[in-house]
Amino acid sequence: MIAGTTWMVAMRWTIRGLGVASTIILVRLLAPEDFGINALSAFVVSLLTVLTSFGVDMALIQRRDTDASFYDTAWTIRFLQTASVALILWLFAGTVAEYFNDERLVGVLRVLALGVLISGLENIGVVSFRKELEFNKHFWFMVSPKLVSFIATLVLALWLRNYWALILGILINRVVAVVLSYIVHPHRPWFTVASFRELWSFSQWMLLRNIGMFLRKEVDTFFVAQSMGTEKVGLYSVPKQIAQLPTTEIIWPMAGALFPGYAKIADDSVRIGLAFQRVLSTIALIALPSGVGLAIVAEPLVEVVFGERWLPTIPVLQWMSLYGSILTISSCVQAPLIAMGYIRRVSLLIWVQLLIVVPAIIYAASTGSLALVAKTQLASAIILLPVFFFAIRSTGIVKWSSFGSAIWRPALATGLMALALYMVPDRVTSDSRVELVALPVLGGFVF
């Protein structure tokens, strides 16, 4: 599990490192509106994808008795899913563009529809890399297409100087991933539904869970777009992405590596309980100082790296950084619950969370304040944290005291770190470039 986590974290850091480098360069070449178009199109594609996503890869990993028919059935389901999404995107691109009042989305969505269809051809055999804990192979399979698309996107941005660089970069990534999947794994999938019933018993709840997860992740972007327009979406989506980098780009890859490990010890309540406590402690150790530290240096970061036209994003970056810390701590309960077979509980938990959050987000977006939307996200995450803890406490693998013992040290250290940084003399923080270097160094030392 440790080796797998290391590979998965390395993979996500490499991919996100490429993404951050790309964003830092592209914000100087493209306008906020270009990022808004990209964010809106990504939202629409992701929404349609998740509405038909049965989580077949998770089903293959969770089941211990899988053969070629399971993999072929999973591939068939996924191809039918992507083909349906591609068709809907192509046919209703005009309707979506009319809804968001931006005709440019028509061409963008139809190009992305082609990319979705192509992605459905990816070799399902690569799922075995995670199932068999061969994370080194999974690392290279995931990173290589990103590296190619990173280079391609930058070249296209220098040439086109508009949102098409981002869209075509996505298309290139998907083409490379499909070709590579057949190079790195010998399995050759074919159409069959022989194992549909076995996969469906797990996948039906994964579908419900995936829809809820997506809506929870993107509901803020949707209502910002609806209430404020494309440019505000760009000003919101970029700091949101940056804010969650230190936390989600460590925690989610850890979860991806830990889930197969949890699945192998799911029948031993003592072992899985101890494993969860250690994971929670590690997550708090990373998420809390990263989120709080990023919130503190948000102002010099935006001034130095992003430039003057991105200054309105500073409060969004600050509040979303704190939100990311709490969200990643609460989300760590999902992997052990799913591994133990509590997928229904996870699904219901996410939907209860969504029903509480959506009205608050709608109100915040209606005020026209991006900062208020971000504050609402943070408040909802804090309120719902005990609910997530209760969900795993009720299984009996941990006690209430386990949460406190796992979190109190990093929480105390983070508080002292924040206090120390706020006491730094003004002469040190008068220059944004000095502040951007000095505060992280001091904060890391104090922590």
Side-chain angles (χ1 to χ4, degrees):
M1 291 175 69
I2 294 175
T5 299
T6 302
W7 276 109
M8 290 294 283
V9 171
M11 180 194 75
R12 291 293 290 188
W13 274 41
T14 303
I15 290 174
R16 279 305 184 182
L18 293 172
V20 170
S22 176
T23 300
I24 291 174
I25 297 171
L26 292 175
V27 293
R28 298 288 184 174
L29 299 175
L30 306 177
E33 192 172 10
D34 294 320
F35 287 94
I37 293 172
N38 181 62
L40 282 179
S41 60
F43 170 82
V44 174
V45 173
S46 299
L47 175 61
L48 290 175
T49 300
V50 79
L51 288 175
T52 56
S53 177
F54 296 103
V56 291
D57 55 339
M58 295 283 281
L60 290 173
I61 293 172
Q62 196 261 353
R63 288 188 66 95
R64 299 181 182 180
D65 54 335
T66 53
D67 54 24
S69 70
F70 278 92
Y71 279 85
D72 289 345
T73 301
W75 182 81
T76 302
I77 293 172
R78 193 169 66 182
F79 177 78
L80 293 175
Q81 167 209 338
T82 54
S84 300
V85 171
L87 180 61
I88 294 172
L89 277 174
W90 186 275
L91 294 177
F92 291 94
T95 303
V96 173
E98 184 177 351
Y99 178 82
F100 287 111
N101 195 29
D102 197 323
E103 287 299 318
R104 293 171 294 184
L105 287 172
V106 176
V108 168
L109 290 175
R110 286 181 173 168
V111 169
L112 291 178
L114 176 61
V116 171
L117 182 62
I118 292 172
S119 68
L121 298 172
E122 183 179 294
N123 186 0
I124 194 69
V126 296
V127 173
S128 66
F129 293 157
R130 285 179 289 160
K131 183 178 178 67
E132 304 302 328
L133 307 182
E134 297 177 317
F135 292 105
N136 57 328
K137 296 180 180 179
H138 184 63
F139 172 89
W140 291 111
F141 170 67
M142 295 298 295
V143 168
S144 298
K146 294 293 184 182
L147 180 59
V148 174
S149 65
F150 166 74
I151 297 172
T153 301
L154 295 185
V155 172
L156 289 167
L158 289 169
W159 176 33
L160 300 173
R161 297 297 178 109
N162 61 32
Y163 57 89
W164 278 111
L166 301 170
I167 305 305
L168 295 176
I170 295 172
L171 182 62
I172 291 170
N173 175 74
R174 293 187 172 179
V175 171
V176 174
V178 170
V179 173
L180 186 61
S181 69
Y182 288 91
I183 296 174
V184 299
H185 199 280
H187 183 75
R188 295 296 178 262
W190 192 246
F191 292 96
T192 183
V193 290
S195 302
F196 178 80
R197 181 175 297 178
E198 292 85 349
L199 290 174
W200 177 247
S201 62
F202 180 87
S203 296
Q204 59 184 323
W205 288 105
M206 281 300 296
L207 173 63
L208 187 61
R209 178 248 187 189
N210 291 341
I211 294 173
M213 285 284 290
F214 170 79
L215 293 176
R216 178 65 187 95
K217 180 182 177 183
E218 300 294 344
V219 66
D220 51 345
T221 302
F222 174 80
F223 287 112
V224 167
Q226 189 180 55
S227 302
M228 306 183 203
T230 304
E231 184 176 359
K232 285 295 185 70
V233 173
L235 290 171
Y236 182 80
S237 62
V238 171
K240 176 183 176 181
Q241 178 186 3
I242 298 298
Q244 296 178 8
L245 283 176
T247 50
T248 59
E249 299 315 315
I250 299 173
I251 307 311
W252 290 117
M254 285 178 63
L258 291 170
F259 176 70
Y262 280 136
K264 291 183 182 297
I265 61 173
D267 297 332
D268 189 332
S269 60
V270 175
R271 289 184 66 193
I272 198 170
L274 290 174
F276 169 73
Q277 291 177 57
R278 291 167 182 165
V279 169
L280 177 60
S281 180
T282 303
I283 286 175
L285 186 68
I286 298 169
L288 291 177
S290 298
V292 173
L294 183 57
I296 293 173
V297 301
E299 185 173 348
L301 176 65
V302 172
E303 291 176 353
V304 174
V305 178
F306 287 75
E308 184 176 351
R309 61 182 175 179
W310 292 90
L311 291 180
T313 67
I314 291 174
V316 178
L317 180 56
Q318 291 171 329
W319 292 111
M320 291 301 290
S321 298
L322 300 175
Y323 162 68
S325 295
I326 305 302
L327 179 67
T328 49
I329 291 174
S330 63
S331 298
C332 73
V333 308
Q334 291 192 40
L337 285 174
I338 296 174
M340 291 186 292
Y342 292 102
I343 180 61
R344 179 178 179 179
R345 181 178 299 187
V346 172
S347 302
L348 294 177
L349 179 65
I350 292 170
W351 277 92
V352 168
Q353 177 188 197
L354 190 63
L355 291 174
I356 294 173
V357 169
V358 167
I361 295 294
I362 292 175
Y363 169 76
S366 68
T367 66
S369 171
L370 295 178
L372 183 59
V373 175
K375 290 179 185 178
T376 302
Q377 290 280 53
L378 173 61
S380 64
I382 294 173
I383 292 170
L384 290 166
L385 181 61
V387 179
F388 278 84
F389 283 168
F390 175 77
I392 196 164
R393 166 63 184 86
S394 62
T395 65
I397 67 170
V398 292
K399 300 178 180 179
W400 279 112
S401 59
S402 302
F403 302 115
S405 62
I407 293 176
W408 78 268
R409 290 180 182 86
L412 177 61
T414 300
L416 293 175
M417 178 193 75
L419 179 62
L421 293 181
Y422 277 117
M423 294 175 65
V424 172
D426 292 340
R427 63 178 178 274
V428 176
T429 60
S430 59
D431 187 321
S432 296
R433 291 169 296 182
V434 174
E435 187 177 5
L436 185 58
V437 175
L439 292 186
V441 173
L442 176 60
F445 176 77
V446 173
F447 181 79

